[in-house]
């Protein structure tokens, strides 16, 4: 009994004391690689912050953010929750069919309404004479969520809403060309080497022909998608394969460093290698088809990897990301004349669209 | 400051324990008092003054009662008036103004008074002290530091149990510390921490999810009622366990606050097992002084209604708490009139009866308004035009079933019996508690700020 008492006090005491000393005197990183965010700084110590309780609130965040072995503890929590307690998800993240994913549920009518109103405003302001298309990229939950007992959007109803609210746009259905294998296991995005059929279907639906062959190139660096850090689970890394051919090699890019920006390949998010990731306006010019049609794409990050595949069919593709440029000043940066316009968005952004202005 | 937080576990507690260990015996209460004031001021820096004023009044009236006994009734009336006055003002004034406005049609502006953390707990403690001194059950505490340490003692300051001065009077001046006590305290604290973090908080998530859901169903309403009942039990009893454990580490023995209430077979038994320190406080300081059950039946029923009206109101300044208290009063009266006789005949039926009415009671308790309570209860019986089951219900049922089962089993004495009856498990206890502590830390590190439910009562 005495040994048990001693062991209880010693083990628990040492655990708390060692971590406590680490909290007080140890150094912790300012940035969380796994969560891709800056961690809280030590709060300001003033009479006002202390007397108002602001200091204690901020210290709570600081001490939690800067706790020693944060990622290890986050992993312990994730495994306990998902495997010891058999909970379906941890912070909305789940594992199904080898994929890490996040619940995209429920549909948010405020967000979808915001998106359609914004698109309609753009149409009325800039697109009087343009042929307008719309396509919605389903997130990978369409193929893995409901099938494995997880909550997911009603994708049919979701796209029907946009079709109804945007009667001026011709809807292009692409979900028939997609399945779970077309997405990275650890990330939200689709794999470029798996969406050549989607690109062909899109081009043909917009009246262009696209018969192209590609060479597959494998990126040397492992790709740990956005869900790896968020989930805190140990999973196998993805590999990025990017496609090249003569057309893609000859493309000229404005607003991004290159079609495949190798400086981003080793960054925290290697998917940003596609057209340098998030940029407000990117122009991709195809000198091999200088007389061809032009296309303006209102887009999110999914478009970065499919645009090089579409480029052969157009003389110029302009990508506009409304999260980084306000729609009221588009005419200063985008020439809509003689262009087809494609609204190409993932369900994830449409269901969380307030960042688009 | 919450016990279930990183600042408490890895900053405050280690410092206090070290300081306490090196403090000479004579100054240990002062160390505890200063630590407790820091603990309290962490969340409510300005309102620490109010607590100190309350303690001062309690001390002065206690001394006056002992040394000027001729006017002891007056001192008691003044003590109760001042101490309850603070509670009424800080907790209930806006409720009264709001209802006065509703009845008269006036629009007197609300005072928007900030509710001091733990005011209901420490007010009841200082009241019990003054009443006990008046009754000569205990002598007045001469040393203001000892009295302040008793009231402000951080293990029980913000969420109870409502420790009576008479229970720890001796330990305040002469308490012993031992490895066995510390070990017992550590185990009790980690057990409470695990109940709070691994079960209560997780079930709390389920309740929040339910409330935010647009895809409710009859089954989801029932799942919510079960989840919330278990949530509040594990939340509150977990906090009490932590308080009792910390008390043990510092050499105090606090009263038990819960005794497996969900195994009860009547509301009468339930209230002997649920929030025992509050129930016994009202029994000793309200019910019995009103005559208790040694009066005529009508008067006894009136006493019950008064006590449970106050019990409900103690929990919060809102009508749903009052209705919740009266709901139990009604059950208790019905049981006393005839039902207990029938309930005693069948253990199974009486248990089903109790669980059913407790589930309904906690739906009322957690409602944001009485109309929400009626709507929820109606929907539990299919009145809300909701389907019997929905996709969301099934998902969350599957996702939380293991935690719910652990909670259900954990709310009975079964795990305790298993541990006590298995030598192998007993040997492993130190490692099991270490693992629980690590997992709780992991949940805290991953989680966001999570306020304790009984904080505002």
């Amino acid at each position: 009994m005495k040994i048990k008492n001693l062991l209880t006090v010693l083990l628990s005491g040492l655990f708390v004391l060692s971590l406590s000393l680490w909290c007080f005197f140890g150094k912790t990183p300012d940035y969380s690689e796994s969560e891709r965010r800056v961690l809280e700084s030590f709060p300001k110590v003033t009479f006002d912050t202390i007397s108002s309780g602001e200091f204690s609130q901020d210290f709570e965040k600081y001490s939690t953010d800067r706790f020693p072995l944060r990622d290890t503890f986050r992993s312990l929590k994730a495994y306990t929750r998902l495997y010891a307690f058999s909970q379906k998800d941890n912070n909305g993240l789940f594992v199904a069919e080898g994929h890490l994913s996040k619940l995209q549920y429920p549909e948010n009518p405020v967000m979808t309404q915001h998106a359609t109103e914004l698109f309609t405003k753009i149409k009325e302001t800039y697109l009087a004479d343009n042929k307008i298309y719309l396509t919605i990229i389903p997130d990978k939950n369409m193929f893995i969520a409901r099938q494995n007992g997880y909550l997911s959007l009603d994708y049919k109803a979701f796209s029907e809403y946009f079709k109804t609210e945007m009667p001026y746009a011709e809807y292009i259905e692409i979900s028939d060309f997609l399945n779970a294998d077309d997405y990275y296991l650890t990330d939200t995005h689709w794999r470029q080497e798996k969406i050549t059929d989607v690109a062909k279907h899109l081009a043909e639906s917009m009246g262009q022909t696209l018969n192209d062959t590609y060479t597959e190139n494998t990126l040397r660096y492992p790709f740990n998608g956005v869900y790896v850090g968020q989930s805190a689970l140990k999973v196998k890394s993805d590999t990025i394969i990017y496609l090249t051919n003569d057309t893609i090699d000859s493309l000229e890019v404005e607003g991004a460093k290159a079609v495949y920006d190798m400086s981003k390949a080793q960054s925290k998010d290697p998917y940003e290698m596609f057209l340098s990731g998030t940029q407000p306006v990117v122009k991709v010019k195809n000198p091999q088809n200088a007389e061809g049609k032009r296309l303006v794409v209102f887009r999110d990050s999914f478009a970065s990897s499919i645009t090089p595949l579409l480029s052969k069919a157009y003389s110029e593709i302009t990508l506009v990301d409304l999260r980084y440029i306000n729609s009221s000043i588009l005419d200063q940066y985008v020439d809509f004349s003689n262009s087809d316009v494609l609204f190409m968005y993932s369900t994830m952004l449409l269901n969380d669209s307030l960042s688009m202005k | 400051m919450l016990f279930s937080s990183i600042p408490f576990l890895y900053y405050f507690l280690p410092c206090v324990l070290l300081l306490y260990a090196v403090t000479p015996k004579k100054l240990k209460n002062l160390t505890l008092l200063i630590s407790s004031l820091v603990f309290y001021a962490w969340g409510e820096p300005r309102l620490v003054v109010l607590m100190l004023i309350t303690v001062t009044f309690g001390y002065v009236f206690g001394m006056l009662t002992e040394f000027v006994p001729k006017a002891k009734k007056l001192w008691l009336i003044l003590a109760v008036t001042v101490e309850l006055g603070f509670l009424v003002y800080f907790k209930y004034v806006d409720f009264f103004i709001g209802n006065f406005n509703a009845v008269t049609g006036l629009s007197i502006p609300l005072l928007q008074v900030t509710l001091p953390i733990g005011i209901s707990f420490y007010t009841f403690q200082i009241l019990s002290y003054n009443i006990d001194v008046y009754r000569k059950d205990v002598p007045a505490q001469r040393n203001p530091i000892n009295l302040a340490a008793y009231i402000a003692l951080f293990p029980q300051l913000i969420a109870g149990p409502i420790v009576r001065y008479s229970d720890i009077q001796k330990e305040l001046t002469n308490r012993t510390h031992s490895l066995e006590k510390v070990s017992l305290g550590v185990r009790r604290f980690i057990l409470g921490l695990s109940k709070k973090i691994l079960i209560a908080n997780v079930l709390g998530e389920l309740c929040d999810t339910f409330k935010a859901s647009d895809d409710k169903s009859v089954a989801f309403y029932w799942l919510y009622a079960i989840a919330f009942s278990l949530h509040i039990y594990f939340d509150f009893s977990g906090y009490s366990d932590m308080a009792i454990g910390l008390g043990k580490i510092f050499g105090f023995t606090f009263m038990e606050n819960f005794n497996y209430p969900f195994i009860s077979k009547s509301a009468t038994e339930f209230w002997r097992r649920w929030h025992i320190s509050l129930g016994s406080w009202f029994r000793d300081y309200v019910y019995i002084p009103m005559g208790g059950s040694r009066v005529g039946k009508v008067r006894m029923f009136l006493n019950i209604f008064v006590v449970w009206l106050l019990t409900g109101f103690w929990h919060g300044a809102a009508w749903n708490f009052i209705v919740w208290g009266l709901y139990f009063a009604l059950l208790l009266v019905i049981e006393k009139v005839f039902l207990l006789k029938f309930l005693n005949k069948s253990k199974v039926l009486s248990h089903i009866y109790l669980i059913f009415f407790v589930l309904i009671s906690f739906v009322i308790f957690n409602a944001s308004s009485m109309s929400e309570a009626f709507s929820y209860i109606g929907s539990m019986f299919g009145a809300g035009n909701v389907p019997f089951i929905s996709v969301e219900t099934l998902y969350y049922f599957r996702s939380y079933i293991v935690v719910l089962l652990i909670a259900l089993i954990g709310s009975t004495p079964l795990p305790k019996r298993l541990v006590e009856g298995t030598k192998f498990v007993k040997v492993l206890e130190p490692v099991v508690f270490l693992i629980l502590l690590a997992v709780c830390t992991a949940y805290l590190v991953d989680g966001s700020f999570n306020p304790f439910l009984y904080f505002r009562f």
Side-chain angles (χ1 to χ4, degrees):
Chain A
M1 192 66 179
K2 202 174 173 185
I3 293 175
K4 195 180 91 174
N5 287 337
L6 192 66
L7 270 177
T8 305
V9 176
L10 266 180
L11 288 177
S12 308
L14 280 175
F15 183 84
V16 171
L17 192 67
S18 53
L19 286 169
S20 173
L21 287 171
W22 199 339
C23 286
F24 275 108
F25 305 110
K27 211 167 158 45
T28 49
D30 295 330
Y31 186 84
S32 166
E33 295 289 343
S34 62
E35 295 162 80
R36 299 181 187 183
R37 69 179 177 92
V38 176
L39 298 172
E40 289 285 334
S41 308
F42 192 84
K44 269 188 195 166
V45 187
T46 65
F47 178 77
D48 281 347
T49 58
I50 290 174
S51 63
S52 66
E54 190 185 324
F55 175 82
S56 60
Q57 283 176 20
D58 290 347
F59 186 82
E60 183 97 28
K61 292 178 200 157
Y62 163 81
S63 60
T64 308
D65 257 16
R66 301 296 184 106
F67 197 76
L69 307 172
R70 178 177 165 79
D71 286 343
T72 309
F73 278 111
R74 286 187 59 241
S75 292
L76 176 61
K77 189 252 182 171
Y79 283 103
T80 305
R81 189 173 163 110
L82 292 176
Y83 299 106
F85 290 139
S86 291
Q87 292 206 249
K88 300 284 285 179
D89 64 88
N90 178 38
N91 299 332
L93 290 139
F94 63 91
V95 186
E97 297 181 20
H99 279 268
L100 278 178
S101 194
K102 191 169 192 172
L103 293 177
Q104 305 294 335
Y105 182 88
E107 184 185 328
N108 189 331
V110 175
M111 298 291 175
T112 49
Q113 188 183 345
H114 172 75
T116 53
E117 283 175 358
L118 179 65
F119 298 157
T120 302
K121 195 177 109 192
I122 289 169
K123 190 259 171 204
E124 286 167 357
T125 312
Y126 305 110
L127 311 177
D129 304 316
N130 304 77
K131 180 77 183 156
I132 301 170
Y133 300 92
L134 164 72
T135 190
I136 295 176
I137 305 164
D139 60 86
K140 63 180 171 183
N141 286 0
M142 182 177 189
F143 310 103
I144 60 169
R146 194 153 287 179
Q147 298 80 339
N148 291 283
Y150 292 92
L151 295 170
S152 73
L153 295 174
D154 181 343
Y155 290 91
K156 201 175 170 195
F158 194 87
S159 55
E160 283 302 323
Y161 172 80
F162 280 87
K163 281 188 217 174
T164 310
E165 295 299 313
M166 297 172 67
Y168 48 84
E170 186 179 316
Y171 188 76
I172 306 172
E173 181 65 62
I174 58 168
S175 61
D176 298 340
F177 294 86
L178 291 166
N179 60 54
D181 293 338
D182 297 338
Y183 296 80
Y184 294 108
L185 292 172
T186 63
D187 198 61
T188 55
H189 294 105
W190 52 13
R191 309 172 71 103
Q192 192 191 39
E193 76 277 16
K194 299 277 192 180
I195 53 171
T196 52
D197 52 348
V198 177
K200 187 167 187 285
H201 176 65
L202 276 175
E204 285 171 357
S205 301
M206 293 188 286
Q208 308 300 308
T209 50
L210 187 63
N211 288 309
D212 223 352
T213 54
Y214 307 95
T215 304
E216 289 194 354
N217 309 273
T218 304
L219 197 68
R220 282 185 293 139
Y221 315 107
F223 174 38
N224 291 310
V226 67
Y227 292 141
V228 176
Q230 286 179 23
S231 71
L233 297 171
K234 307 287 175 225
V235 289
K236 211 177 139 196
S237 302
D238 273 305
T239 304
I240 288 185
I241 294 171
Y242 59 99
L243 304 177
T244 53
N245 60 18
D246 285 349
T247 311
I248 293 173
D249 289 344
S250 69
L251 294 175
E252 294 164 6
V253 180
E254 285 176 24
K257 216 169 175 183
V259 175
Y260 301 123
D261 182 350
M262 289 305 157
S263 66
K264 301 269 188 181
Q266 288 185 77
S267 69
K268 292 171 193 96
D269 185 4
Y271 182 81
E272 290 206 329
M273 67 170 278
F274 296 105
L275 289 168
S276 299
T278 49
Q279 306 292 338
V281 178
V282 175
K283 286 182 184 167
V284 179
K285 292 180 180 170
N286 179 8
Q288 294 185 6
N289 185 12
E291 301 304 315
K293 204 154 178 71
R294 300 192 315 148
L295 179 69
V296 175
V297 183
F298 289 93
R299 59 95 174 210
D300 55 22
S301 52
F302 280 73
S304 299
S305 53
I306 201 170
T307 298
L309 310 182
L310 288 170
S311 58
K312 189 176 182 182
Y314 294 93
S315 61
E316 182 180 295
I317 300 177
T318 303
L319 302 177
V320 182
D321 194 332
L322 294 169
R323 292 172 295 179
Y324 304 102
I325 183 167
N326 195 302
S327 58
S328 63
I329 55 166
L330 281 179
D331 51 352
Q332 295 174 37
Y333 299 92
V334 183
D335 179 6
F336 291 103
S337 60
N338 300 318
S339 297
D340 284 351
V341 173
L342 171 64
F343 287 92
M344 177 161 63
Y345 283 99
S346 67
T347 45
M348 284 182 292
L349 186 64
L350 293 175
N351 205 33
D352 188 15
S353 67
L354 278 190
S355 55
M356 293 196 287
K357 304 287 178 199
Chain B
M1 198 183 294
L2 288 167
F3 294 161
S4 52
S5 70
I6 296 292
F8 179 81
L9 288 172
Y10 293 98
Y11 289 84
F12 178 81
L13 189 58
C15 292
V16 172
L17 285 171
L18 283 176
L19 202 63
Y20 186 78
V22 299
T23 305
K25 198 176 173 186
K26 271 198 290 189
L27 297 175
K28 282 197 188 298
N29 282 354
L30 181 64
T31 305
L32 277 180
L33 174 61
I34 294 168
S35 309
S36 299
L37 293 179
V38 171
F39 174 87
Y40 192 81
W42 183 255
E44 309 250 333
R46 286 166 184 163
L47 293 170
V48 77
V49 178
L50 176 71
M51 187 177 66
L52 288 174
I53 291 171
T54 309
V55 172
T56 307
F57 275 114
Y59 176 79
V60 170
F61 287 125
M63 293 294 277
L64 286 170
T65 305
E66 185 142 311
F67 291 104
V68 192
K70 276 184 182 173
K72 69 174 194 173
K73 207 166 205 167
L74 174 69
W75 306 134
L76 181 67
I77 290 167
L78 283 173
V80 171
T81 307
V82 171
E83 288 152 13
L84 274 184
F86 284 142
L87 181 65
V88 168
Y89 176 77
F90 283 96
K91 189 165 178 174
Y92 300 104
V93 70
D94 279 340
F95 172 79
F96 289 129
I97 293 174
N99 282 285
F100 183 75
N101 285 344
V103 171
T104 58
L106 295 171
S107 45
I108 301 167
L110 299 180
L111 300 180
Q112 311 285 359
V113 180
T114 305
L115 178 65
I117 292 170
I119 189 170
S120 306
F121 288 97
Y122 72 68
T123 301
F124 271 39
Q125 291 194 178
I126 199 76
L127 278 172
S128 77
Y129 165 75
N130 283 127
I131 296 169
D132 286 353
V133 171
Y134 170 83
R135 288 172 173 173
K136 292 191 175 168
D137 289 342
V138 290
Q141 174 58 255
R142 274 32 168 202
N143 186 338
I145 290 172
N146 286 352
L147 186 69
Y150 151 66
I151 296 296
L153 199 60
F154 75 84
Q156 46 83 57
L157 173 61
I158 56 170
I162 302 169
V163 178
R164 308 269 186 94
Y165 176 75
S166 53
D167 289 341
I168 61 162
Q169 174 206 352
K170 285 180 187 155
E171 288 170 339
L172 268 173
T173 48
N174 187 22
R175 58 186 177 274
T176 56
H177 305 84
S178 68
L179 178 68
E180 193 187 352
K181 271 189 178 178
V182 174
S183 169
L184 203 64
V186 167
R187 277 180 279 160
R188 190 69 186 267
F189 179 82
I190 296 175
L191 182 72
L193 189 70
S194 307
K195 283 165 79 173
K196 162 76 180 147
I197 294 174
L198 305 182
I199 297 178
N201 285 2
V202 175
L203 294 179
E205 268 171 38
L206 176 58
C207 296
D208 291 343
T209 303
F210 165 82
K211 287 209 161 190
S213 170
D214 289 328
D215 191 26
K216 292 189 176 78
S217 66
V218 172
F220 209 174
Y221 278 98
W222 280 98
L223 183 63
Y224 161 73
I226 293 167
F228 182 74
S229 300
L230 289 167
H231 162 70
I232 194 166
Y233 169 66
F234 277 90
D235 199 88
F236 196 12
S237 73
Y239 223 85
S240 292
D241 286 339
M242 287 188 269
I244 291 166
L246 285 170
K248 272 267 179 280
I249 293 171
F250 291 106
F252 293 97
T253 303
F254 298 155
M255 73 181 299
E256 292 295 333
N257 216 12
F258 290 87
N259 184 22
Y260 307 108
F262 291 129
I263 64 168
S264 306
K265 293 175 196 71
S266 65
T268 311
E269 186 185 355
F270 179 81
W271 272 101
R272 276 192 221 117
R273 294 173 176 274
W274 178 276
H275 204 171
I276 298 165
S277 64
L278 180 72
S280 61
W281 196 99
F282 274 110
R283 183 196 63 210
D284 294 346
Y285 298 110
V286 181
Y287 184 66
I288 291 175
M290 286 176 77
S293 50
R294 278 185 245 158
V295 286
K297 273 195 171 172
V298 175
R299 178 60 198 264
M300 181 179 76
F301 296 153
L302 178 73
N303 292 348
I304 290 173
F305 271 96
V306 169
V307 166
W308 256 264
L309 171 83
L310 293 174
T311 304
F313 208 31
W314 179 89
H315 283 82
W319 281 105
N320 62 307
F321 293 115
I322 294 172
V323 171
W324 179 75
L326 292 175
Y327 168 94
F328 272 109
L330 190 64
L331 281 181
L332 292 169
V333 167
I334 292 170
E335 284 181 7
K336 279 197 193 313
V337 173
F338 72 96
L339 197 59
L340 267 182
K341 274 183 262 172
F342 293 100
L343 292 174
N344 289 335
K345 287 179 184 167
S346 167
K347 282 184 177 178
V348 177
L349 284 180
S350 57
H351 193 63
I352 292 171
Y353 149 81
L354 185 271
I355 293 297
F356 174 81
F357 282 102
V358 165
L359 290 183
I360 300 290
S361 83
F362 283 125
V363 172
I364 297 170
F365 186 93
N366 196 40
S368 56
S369 64
M370 275 318 294
S371 61
E372 184 181 281
F374 286 130
S375 159
Y376 278 20
I377 293 166
S379 298
M380 286 168 77
F381 298 95
N385 200 22
V386 287
F388 178 73
I389 197 116
S390 67
V391 176
E392 262 192 49
T393 310
L394 282 173
Y395 178 77
Y396 289 113
F397 177 74
R398 286 188 198 124
S399 193
Y400 285 88
I401 184 64
V402 172
V403 180
L404 281 166
L405 285 175
I406 292 171
L408 279 174
I409 295 166
S411 66
T412 71
L414 198 64
K416 195 180 175 190
R417 277 186 210 148
L418 272 175
V419 172
E420 284 174 351
T422 320
K423 208 174 175 185
F424 177 67
V425 179
K426 282 184 91 170
V427 172
L428 281 178
E429 259 186 42
V431 179
V432 171
F433 279 107
L434 179 68
I435 293 169
L436 283 175
L437 181 59
V439 173
C440 287
T441 304
Y443 269 64
L444 288 177
V445 170
D446 189 67
S448 53
F449 181 65
N450 193 308
F452 174 59
L453 207 71
Y454 261 69
F455 228 32
R456 293 284 164 192
F457 294 158

mmCIF file of all heavy atoms in Angstrom, chain B residues 56 113 218 276-277 322 404:
data_model
loop_
_atom_site.group_PDB
_atom_site.id
_atom_site.type_symbol
_atom_site.label_atom_id
_atom_site.label_comp_id
_atom_site.label_asym_id
_atom_site.label_seq_id
_atom_site.Cartn_x
_atom_site.Cartn_y
_atom_site.Cartn_z
ATOM 1 N N THR B 56 -15.156 39.790 5.721
ATOM 2 C CA THR B 56 -15.011 40.736 6.830
ATOM 3 C C THR B 56 -16.315 40.857 7.628
ATOM 4 O O THR B 56 -16.320 40.809 8.851
ATOM 5 C CB THR B 56 -14.592 42.135 6.287
ATOM 6 O OG1 THR B 56 -13.447 41.945 5.479
ATOM 7 C CG2 THR B 56 -14.273 43.095 7.421
ATOM 8 N N VAL B 113 -25.343 43.788 -13.941
ATOM 9 C CA VAL B 113 -24.362 43.503 -12.891
ATOM 10 C C VAL B 113 -23.581 42.243 -13.244
ATOM 11 O O VAL B 113 -24.159 41.242 -13.657
ATOM 12 C CB VAL B 113 -25.089 43.299 -11.533
ATOM 13 C CG1 VAL B 113 -24.089 43.015 -10.428
ATOM 14 C CG2 VAL B 113 -25.920 44.517 -11.203
ATOM 15 N N VAL B 218 -36.896 13.037 -32.908
ATOM 16 C CA VAL B 218 -37.349 12.621 -31.564
ATOM 17 C C VAL B 218 -36.197 11.922 -30.845
ATOM 18 O O VAL B 218 -35.901 12.198 -29.670
ATOM 19 C CB VAL B 218 -38.574 11.678 -31.688
ATOM 20 C CG1 VAL B 218 -38.931 11.083 -30.323
ATOM 21 C CG2 VAL B 218 -39.756 12.433 -32.276
ATOM 22 N N ILE B 276 -25.069 16.839 -2.414
ATOM 23 C CA ILE B 276 -25.407 16.576 -1.012
ATOM 24 C C ILE B 276 -25.160 17.812 -0.134
ATOM 25 O O ILE B 276 -25.942 18.123 0.758
ATOM 26 C CB ILE B 276 -24.581 15.377 -0.494
ATOM 27 C CG1 ILE B 276 -24.952 14.125 -1.303
ATOM 28 C CG2 ILE B 276 -24.824 15.128 0.990
ATOM 29 C CD1 ILE B 276 -23.980 12.975 -1.166
ATOM 30 N N SER B 277 -24.086 18.534 -0.427
ATOM 31 C CA SER B 277 -23.748 19.676 0.430
ATOM 32 C C SER B 277 -24.799 20.782 0.325
ATOM 33 O O SER B 277 -25.115 21.452 1.318
ATOM 34 C CB SER B 277 -22.362 20.230 0.095
ATOM 35 O OG SER B 277 -22.324 20.744 -1.207
ATOM 36 N N ILE B 322 -36.378 28.003 -11.401
ATOM 37 C CA ILE B 322 -37.443 27.989 -10.392
ATOM 38 C C ILE B 322 -38.397 26.827 -10.673
ATOM 39 O O ILE B 322 -38.755 26.053 -9.785
ATOM 40 C CB ILE B 322 -38.186 29.343 -10.387
ATOM 41 C CG1 ILE B 322 -37.229 30.450 -9.919
ATOM 42 C CG2 ILE B 322 -39.424 29.282 -9.497
ATOM 43 C CD1 ILE B 322 -37.775 31.858 -10.050
ATOM 44 N N LEU B 404 -20.884 7.532 -24.057
ATOM 45 C CA LEU B 404 -22.150 7.437 -23.313
ATOM 46 C C LEU B 404 -22.178 6.173 -22.456
ATOM 47 O O LEU B 404 -22.610 6.212 -21.297
ATOM 48 C CB LEU B 404 -23.331 7.438 -24.285
ATOM 49 C CG LEU B 404 -23.730 8.808 -24.835
ATOM 50 C CD1 LEU B 404 -24.654 8.656 -26.036
ATOM 51 C CD2 LEU B 404 -24.437 9.638 -23.765
#
